[in-house]
Amino acid sequence: MELSPLARERLARIGALSEEERERLKQSEDLDSLLSEYFSGELDTDGLWKRLKGLKQQRGESVPREVQARLVDTLRLRMGQEDFEQRRDAILAIETMKAEGKYSTLEVALDSIEAVRNKYLQAKQQAYEQLKAGLQSQLQAAAQQAKAQGMEIDMGGSLDANARNSPQWKDFISQHEESSEEMFGSYIGRLRDAI
């Protein structure tokens, strides 16, 4: 079956990227590379800021917002404190290069996100310790019976294993993570809107 000239022209256009599309792809690759250097520790926050300032001058005002949005996309409820602070520092530093910066708004949003993260971790740890305390007397009784039969039980390991595999822990974690993720997502949305 032979294609019409119009169909052949459309197929040719599909395969070729426009100049604007090529420029966006190049910018995306440059920003991916820059953030990769930042996340791997090759660049500190000041170095990231300086390199972004140059890219902003070359490519325009959208660069800071795009990088901030990418940084926000990497925020997680269960990420380490150091990783969170690295992203926080970068988001706030980048905000200083915007003409209509909303530094204090972003700072408040990031503080709220950090508070949700801390509350999540504290509640999780507290519930785990309470569950372990409740299981400890049961496990001690079992350990005494085992010792009477000539067996030794690793109390610490057994206590952790029993706590982590208990239905109460699984129910708590399921509900706690769901509610915390929902609240975390809400604050992330507010942060995105502020950017």
Side-chain angles (χ1 to χ4, degrees):
M1 181 171 124
E2 181 139 343
L3 295 174
S4 71
L6 183 59
R8 281 192 295 246
E9 183 181 318
R10 284 184 183 160
L11 281 174
R13 273 189 277 147
I14 290 173
L17 294 175
S18 70
E19 183 62 36
E20 183 180 317
E21 290 169 326
R22 274 194 293 264
E23 189 59 36
R24 267 188 277 150
L25 184 60
K26 173 73 172 123
Q27 178 172 311
S28 181
E29 289 170 356
D30 289 347
L31 295 181
D32 286 344
S33 174
L34 187 61
L35 286 173
S36 176
E37 289 179 48
Y38 182 64
F39 292 142
S40 68
E42 295 173 41
L43 274 179
D44 63 3
T45 304
D46 290 336
L48 176 69
W49 189 90
K50 288 173 186 170
R51 297 260 305 269
L52 277 175
K53 184 77 169 169
L55 283 174
K56 177 187 171 197
Q57 290 169 348
Q58 291 174 357
R59 299 210 172 112
E61 297 293 323
S62 67
V63 171
R65 278 188 180 78
E66 185 175 342
V67 173
Q68 285 178 312
R70 288 176 183 219
L71 288 163
V72 169
D73 288 344
T74 66
L75 294 174
R76 301 286 179 265
L77 179 64
R78 289 174 292 283
M79 74 188 324
Q81 185 63 28
E82 190 175 305
D83 290 335
F84 179 79
E85 288 175 8
Q86 179 190 39
R87 284 148 176 86
R88 174 193 176 92
D89 292 347
I91 290 167
L92 292 174
I94 293 166
E95 190 65 16
T96 65
M97 71 175 66
K98 292 180 186 174
E100 77 301 335
K102 300 175 186 172
Y103 191 93
S104 60
T105 302
L106 294 184
E107 193 171 34
V108 168
L110 286 162
D111 287 347
S112 298
I113 290 168
E114 187 168 18
V116 169
R117 289 181 62 254
N118 289 336
K119 184 178 176 185
Y120 162 79
L121 293 171
Q122 288 169 355
K124 182 178 172 182
Q125 185 63 34
Q126 184 179 16
Y128 185 69
E129 293 302 325
Q130 287 175 346
L131 182 60
K132 277 177 41 177
L135 291 173
Q136 190 165 8
S137 61
Q138 295 171 4
L139 201 55
Q140 283 175 336
Q144 287 175 347
Q145 287 178 346
K147 191 172 189 173
Q149 296 174 359
M151 295 184 288
E152 286 291 320
I153 292 182
D154 172 19
M155 281 293 290
S158 295
L159 190 55
D160 281 333
N162 280 311
R164 293 203 186 280
N165 290 317
S166 74
Q168 298 95 331
W169 178 249
K170 290 178 181 177
D171 287 345
F172 169 78
I173 283 296
S174 173
Q175 292 172 9
H176 181 58
E177 290 200 357
E178 184 179 324
S179 65
S180 297
E181 283 287 357
E182 188 176 310
M183 187 178 297
F184 184 79
S186 168
Y187 284 113
I188 291 290
R190 292 178 192 176
L191 179 60
R192 275 194 191 102
D193 292 344
I195 291 173

